[in-house]
Amino acid sequence: MVTAIHRKTIQNSITLRGIGVHSGKMVTLRLHPAEANTGLIFYLYKGTQKIRIPISLDHVVDTSNATTIGDGSSNRVQTIEHLLAAVHTLGITDCIFEIDSVEVPIMDGSSLPFWEGIRSAGIRVLDETIEPITISNPIWVVDGDKYLVMLPSDELKVTYSIDFNHPLLRGQSYTTTLDESILGTDILPARTFGFLKDVEALQARGLAMGGSLDNAVVLTDDGYLNETLRYDNECVRHKILDLIGDLAVMGRPFRGHLIASKAGHALDISLAKCIMSQVTGNELTQFKSKRVPLFSKKQAVR
């Protein structure tokens, strides 16, 4: 039986500032406490406009290089996964995010600054509760040689494998449970990574203008451009960070054993949609089974 847990928000408002990885411009992100059942909502400020964009699967509009949400028109906020990984880790279910740019600041390329910022704001436990997502049967998505599976489990854990055409990233794998402590110390500090040749190509197109060794692990043809790494397997740990942040778009805590191979944002969101489809169906069935009929067939009007 699933035990409901208390919803949470932050105690005090906080402001975080950092560079947008694509624009290279300064971004201001403000987090505010919210009432129970508000959920997670972005307010994008464009001039005098204040545009509301809820964080939900229905509002995901792009997963090509990051996870992007939108309001159905041209208004978007991208690269939300690092922020949401920290939000999920700390159990925040209700919060307002105000932002003055179309991208969440990259900060140091990890979730650590968001995690530290939220902790410094304090966390308020609300009276209302929410049921974590649990599944009764395996759920999976496949795209060629890439796959992502969620198995039933009473706890959250992950087995993640990557295999890039690079001497340091062939067959890298990591398995761990993912409670708040482990996420905070072993996953959230892992920085995003990219290949130098790809970064140069993006910058030639006017993208990744804010990318640097201060906010990314950059790989050359046979090594790293960075002098040091935070972990020997920092890249696969960051892929786990992205997965947790992407699944947090579901808007509920979740439990299960995640098994991933060469996955990415598109596959993460596809799995989230499959999970919510099964969970919604199961919960509707359970609700229906508890209904008491008002009359029998024999009493029905013909």
Side-chain angles (χ1 to χ4, degrees):
M1 182 164 177
V2 179
T3 302
I5 59 178
H6 282 275
R7 302 181 73 100
K8 295 178 182 178
T9 189
I10 58 175
Q11 190 73 43
N12 302 291
S13 296
I14 56 169
T15 299
L16 299 171
R17 291 186 176 89
I19 296 295
V21 68
H22 287 300
S23 68
K25 297 179 180 179
M26 187 62 66
V27 180
T28 299
L29 173 68
R30 294 185 173 89
L31 283 64
H32 301 291
E35 297 298 319
N37 300 306
T38 298
L40 305 173
I41 300 174
F42 266 100
Y43 282 98
L44 171 62
Y45 284 82
K46 295 176 68 175
T48 59
Q49 288 183 294
K50 180 181 178 181
I51 300 148
R52 182 179 184 272
I53 308 177
I55 298 175
S56 73
L57 288 172
D58 291 339
H59 289 84
V60 174
V61 296
D62 189 17
T63 55
S64 52
N65 294 306
T67 298
T68 302
I69 55 172
D71 67 348
S73 62
S74 61
N75 301 305
R76 298 182 170 198
V77 178
Q78 65 186 30
T79 320
I80 64 173
E81 61 273 10
H82 298 174
L83 170 63
L84 291 189
V87 166
H88 165 83
T89 297
L90 294 168
I92 302 299
T93 57
D94 304 277
C95 191
I96 299 296
F97 307 101
E98 293 182 340
I99 193 166
D100 63 355
S101 173
V102 297
E103 55 183 333
V104 173
I106 192 65
M107 309 304 282
D108 70 348
S110 78
S111 292
L112 187 60
F114 300 116
W115 183 67
E116 291 176 338
I118 293 171
R119 292 180 73 200
S120 71
I123 297 172
R124 179 159 58 96
V125 179
L126 303 169
D127 292 335
E128 290 78 356
T129 59
I130 185 171
E131 283 193 5
I133 291 173
T134 59
I135 59 170
S136 54
N137 297 295
I139 300 175
W140 64 89
V141 288
V142 180
D143 180 14
D145 64 344
K146 306 172 184 178
Y147 63 82
L148 185 51
V149 182
M150 189 175 193
L151 301 176
S153 176
D154 292 332
E155 60 182 349
L156 181 59
K157 53 186 177 181
V158 67
T159 300
Y160 207 117
S161 300
I162 58 175
D163 189 16
F164 290 92
N165 185 24
H166 190 279
L168 300 178
L169 296 184
R170 291 194 180 105
Q172 197 174 102
S173 184
Y174 190 58
T175 298
T176 183
T177 55
L178 293 173
D179 60 23
E180 181 180 331
S181 175
I182 291 172
L183 278 163
T185 58
D186 295 351
I187 301 300
L188 297 190
R191 295 164 295 175
T192 191
F193 65 96
F195 297 89
L196 180 60
K197 57 184 178 181
D198 295 335
V199 173
E200 292 172 341
L202 286 169
Q203 290 182 338
R205 293 162 45 203
L207 300 173
M209 304 308 292
S212 71
L213 295 180
D214 292 329
N215 54 41
V217 173
V218 180
L219 292 108
T220 61
D221 290 339
D222 57 2
Y224 296 102
L225 208 56
N226 308 69
E227 291 185 4
T228 59
L229 297 181
R230 292 180 177 178
Y231 312 95
D232 290 340
N233 58 352
E234 187 167 358
C235 295
V236 71
R237 292 182 192 231
H238 185 81
K239 295 292 285 185
I240 295 171
L241 182 161
D242 279 345
L243 173 58
I244 297 304
D246 287 339
L247 293 183
V249 176
M250 293 188 294
R252 285 170 60 181
F254 48 90
R255 298 171 185 163
H257 184 179
L258 296 159
I259 302 175
S261 179
K262 305 179 186 179
H265 300 297
L267 220 55
D268 296 350
I269 296 300
S270 292
L271 180 70
K273 290 179 178 178
C274 290
I275 292 170
M276 290 307 298
S277 178
Q278 176 172 308
V279 168
T280 300
N282 289 345
E283 290 177 350
L284 286 174
T285 300
Q286 292 169 7
F287 175 76
K288 184 177 179 181
S289 67
K290 295 177 183 178
R291 290 174 58 189
V292 178
L294 298 177
F295 51 83
S296 67
K297 279 187 175 182
K298 290 182 181 180
Q299 296 172 317
V301 176
R302 302 191 178 192

